[in-house]
Amino acid sequence: MKHVIKLTLKEVVNKRIIHLGIILTLIYLLIYGTGLYYTVKDLGSQGEQFFLLQQIGYQLLILGWYVSTFMVGSMAVITGAGSISQEIENGTILGLASSPLKRSTIILGKFIAYGVVTSLYSSILLTAVMGLNLYFCRLVFDPWGAAAGILIFMLFPLTLLVVTMLFSSLFSTMTAGISAFMVFVVTIIGGFVEQIGALMGNTALVNIGIISSLLMPADAVYRLAVAQASGTMAQSSIVNFGPFGIASTPSTLMLVYTIVYIGVLLSAAVYYFQKKDL
Amino acid sequence: MLETEKLSKKYEHTAACTDICLSIKEGQVFGLLGPNGAGKSTLVKMIIGLVRPSSGKALIMGRAAGDIEVRYKTGYLPEMFRFYDWLNAWELLSFYARVYQIPADKEKLAIQEALELVGLKGREKGMIKTYSKGMQQRLGLARAILHQPALVLLDEPTSALDPLGRRDVRDVIKRLQQRGTTIFLNSHLLGEVEMTCSHLGFIKRGHLIDAGPIADFMTKEQEITVEVDNLNHDLFTRWNIEGRAVNMNDKLLQLKAVNREEVPVIINEIIGAGGRIYRVESRSRGLEEVFIDLIENDGAV
Ligand SMILES: Nc1ncnc2c1ncn2[C@@H]1O[C@H](COP(=O)(O)OP(=O)(O)OP(=O)(O)O)[C@@H](O)[C@H]1O
Ligand SMILES: [Mg+2]
């Protein structure tokens, strides 16, 4: 197993698209930081304005996290899409799969390596967004809540990764990438629908959102992470009511569901890969 | 060493292999010959466990194909493959040395030896993406023999190589044979197989037509030419039905696929039926002719 993990990590380090991703991330953080800087400069942070800045800062934080989910999600889809199918298309899998490595070891090793990379990326990105807010808007955080939020959010790239890897064990790289991305978009829309439903008190819309979360819990994970990280602040804030917010917070049972979900889909990927003629 | 029992693979539209029964003993160099699409690669992939048989089974050293323990003792060079082009040759072999659990203190030596055998010594620090097709094939061969397997499966090991490279591969095979390694070799290059193999098999459209020691194929089959007048036409028809390749041109009768012992029998038959013989020539045929014949006129398929 450790050989596959090491090899996969090495592959990630050598992938050009990952380099591009890192550069884009830095640009994003730069723009985000600049935005915060000018917000604070225009608003001022003294006296009465401090309360307002906290409100706006919180809103910007949620927005920053929300945009981050796109970057983390894309990263997970990009790394996972070719994980199996590309090796089959290239013919590199023939070497691996004819060696004493079990097919399950190959999939699990890859999942662990990609999982570590994407969840590490997501934690660094979220921490950076939070840090910028802390620095510019002097947001008040409960550090444990923030840490818990970041930890929960690690499940976000993992759910997307496992879906993408399952697709990659079934379809071509192109198909796997596109379908995983479509699932990603659908889950986001499902999340939107749920929040709007909560806002309007429309249970039908909320239920649609819940069903979409059951099919693909990534968005629910995001809402849970935000709820955790914002802690006591969330209750007082008006900005929770919005498509990025947490007007409807998923139940913590969703976390258990997500972990089971990852396990089941990973087993399915192993199953289909084992059945495959190479 | 290697046994297959009615091994078959059906794809959606094609039967790639049908009821292949093979038995290869330790130390043999077995060459499997067949035209494109005959099922050679599919057979090897079933043996190494990359492709699931539709029915039948393959046994290596008494264990089922694809068994992990067997993999440690088997080397495989795929036909169409690539290696990670972001590694250099040394890194790749080092990765596989660990996968095959070569002890750490022997790793370096094993890699050096394999590189030397395939003629890549001195090039091991080059990134694989800079390798030519032939160099990649050599690297594939190095990977296949790195862990000193008891059985080596080579799927067209020389397809990308220049004449010098082909000779190198023949040398590698000889060296392996001297070590007692059993070799299974896929090819459609007869000269290749003739020089290296101790045993041969012929495959066509998924059917194993014939297999045995190479000597059998070289002497068993003869071709006779008979200058004959007044040949009984029934005889001619009967030979045709028997599946022999017959050819009558003016007064020259050509008969292929004849065992040496059959020659006097056939001549007696011609005379008995009233034929007048002026001349009989018989010659052993080269492997190439045997190959083309087996593949072209196989009564069985
Ligand atoms: N994955 C697959 N799906 C469907 N058909 C396949 C597949 N792989 C092989 N075949 C078919 O099975 C038959 C045997 O193919 P195989 O690759 O084993 O031939 P081969 O003897 O190795 O040929 P070559 O000399 O060209 O390498 C062919 O008709 C081929 O089209
Ligand atoms: Mg082939």
Side-chain angles (χ1 to χ4, degrees), chain B residues 240-258:
Chain B
N240 244 330
I241 293 167
E242 281 171 0
R244 292 188 206 282
V246 235
N247 197 358
M248 188 71 191
N249 193 352
D250 202 7
K251 282 181 179 170
L252 283 183
L253 169 75
Q254 277 187 316
L255 263 175
K256 289 181 186 173
V258 176

Side-chain angles (χ1 to χ4, degrees), chain B residues 41 79 155-156:
Chain B
S41 300
E79 179 180 26
D155 198 349
E156 301 194 18

Side-chain angles (χ1 to χ4, degrees), chain A:
Chain A
M1 177 85 86
K2 65 171 194 266
H3 305 306
V4 181
I5 296 175
K6 267 203 218 149
L7 184 80
T8 311
L9 289 175
K10 201 159 182 173
E11 180 210 329
V12 170
V13 171
N14 279 284
K15 250 191 182 157
R16 200 160 296 154
I17 195 144
I18 303 288
H19 302 168
L20 192 72
I22 291 171
I23 293 171
L24 284 177
T25 306
L26 291 176
I27 293 175
Y28 160 60
L29 287 175
L30 194 74
I31 293 173
Y32 186 66
T34 314
L36 288 179
Y37 171 77
Y38 282 107
T39 308
V40 176
K41 201 175 161 202
D42 284 0
L43 210 63
S45 57
Q46 298 311 311
E48 220 171 85
Q49 294 298 76
F50 183 74
F51 179 70
L52 188 60
L53 183 63
Q54 289 283 303
Q55 292 293 316
I56 291 177
Y58 179 74
Q59 196 166 15
L60 288 173
L61 173 71
I62 300 277
L63 180 72
W65 272 33
Y66 197 73
V67 174
S68 302
T69 61
F70 280 92
M71 315 207 47
V72 172
S74 310
M75 192 71 130
V77 170
I78 287 167
T79 47
S83 56
I84 298 144
S85 52
Q86 198 165 35
E87 291 227 24
I88 295 175
E89 287 152 21
N90 279 344
T92 50
I93 201 70
L94 296 176
L96 273 193
S98 63
S99 79
L101 295 169
K102 286 192 195 129
R103 292 204 189 179
S104 54
T105 308
I106 296 175
I107 299 257
L108 293 179
K110 277 170 176 277
F111 178 74
I112 291 172
Y114 289 137
V116 165
V117 170
T118 49
S119 51
L120 205 68
Y121 171 71
S122 103
S123 333
I124 291 173
L125 186 57
L126 292 195
T127 310
V129 167
M130 228 169 195
L132 286 171
N133 264 289
L134 209 63
Y135 179 75
F136 287 112
C137 307
R138 272 171 264 145
L139 271 193
V140 188
F141 286 113
D142 162 21
W144 291 113
I150 288 173
L151 212 65
I152 290 173
F153 193 78
M154 283 183 167
L155 287 174
F156 179 87
L158 294 185
T159 45
L160 268 176
L161 182 65
V162 81
V163 168
T164 317
M165 282 184 72
L166 174 61
F167 286 169
S168 188
S169 71
L170 288 168
F171 315 125
S172 72
T173 304
M174 185 72 99
T175 314
I178 292 173
S179 12
F181 212 83
M182 270 159 44
V183 167
F184 181 32
V185 171
V186 167
T187 186
I188 285 168
I189 294 172
F192 258 55
V193 169
E194 186 177 344
Q195 298 305 319
I196 292 168
L199 214 68
M200 297 177 8
N202 183 328
T203 36
L205 289 185
V206 172
N207 286 339
I208 288 175
I210 288 171
I211 290 169
S212 113
S213 291
L214 288 175
L215 290 176
M216 169 67 203
D219 189 77
V221 167
Y222 161 75
R223 312 272 170 197
L224 273 170
V226 171
Q228 268 298 323
S230 47
T232 48
M233 258 185 92
Q235 273 87 59
S236 67
S237 176
I238 42 158
V239 283
N240 277 328
F241 300 99
F244 312 146
I246 42 172
S248 159
T249 307
S251 95
T252 35
L253 237 140
M254 207 59 206
L255 278 186
V256 180
Y257 178 79
T258 305
I259 290 165
V260 173
Y261 180 91
I262 292 173
V264 169
L265 263 67
L266 199 55
S267 314
V270 168
Y271 173 77
Y272 285 116
F273 183 53
Q274 275 171 343
K275 273 203 352 188
K276 202 154 197 145
D277 287 333
L278 299 172

Side-chain angles (χ1 to χ4, degrees), chain B residues 11-12 14-16 34-43 79 155-156 186 188:
Chain B
Y11 286 113
E12 215 168 311
T14 36
N36 292 130
K40 305 182 293 293
S41 300
T42 306
L43 179 59
E79 179 180 26
D155 198 349
E156 301 194 18
N186 269 352
H188 45 232

Side-chain angles (χ1 to χ4, degrees), chain A residues 3 7 10-11 14 87 90-92 94-103 274-278, chain B residues 9 45 48-52 68 71-72 76 78 80-82 84 86 91 95-96 98-100 143:
Chain A
H3 305 306
L7 184 80
K10 201 159 182 173
E11 180 210 329
N14 279 284
E87 291 227 24
N90 279 344
T92 50
L94 296 176
L96 273 193
S98 63
S99 79
L101 295 169
K102 286 192 195 129
R103 292 204 189 179
Q274 275 171 343
K275 273 203 352 188
K276 202 154 197 145
D277 287 333
L278 299 172
Chain B
K9 178 70 190 179
K45 283 180 169 185
I48 192 74
L50 287 174
V51 165
R52 286 186 168 208
I68 296 298
R71 296 266 182 92
Y72 283 106
Y76 167 57
M80 313 252 244
F81 68 99
R82 256 180 49 196
Y84 306 104
W86 34 270
E91 289 168 330
F95 167 74
Y96 277 112
R98 281 164 208 180
V99 167
Y100 282 98
R143 195 255 7 169

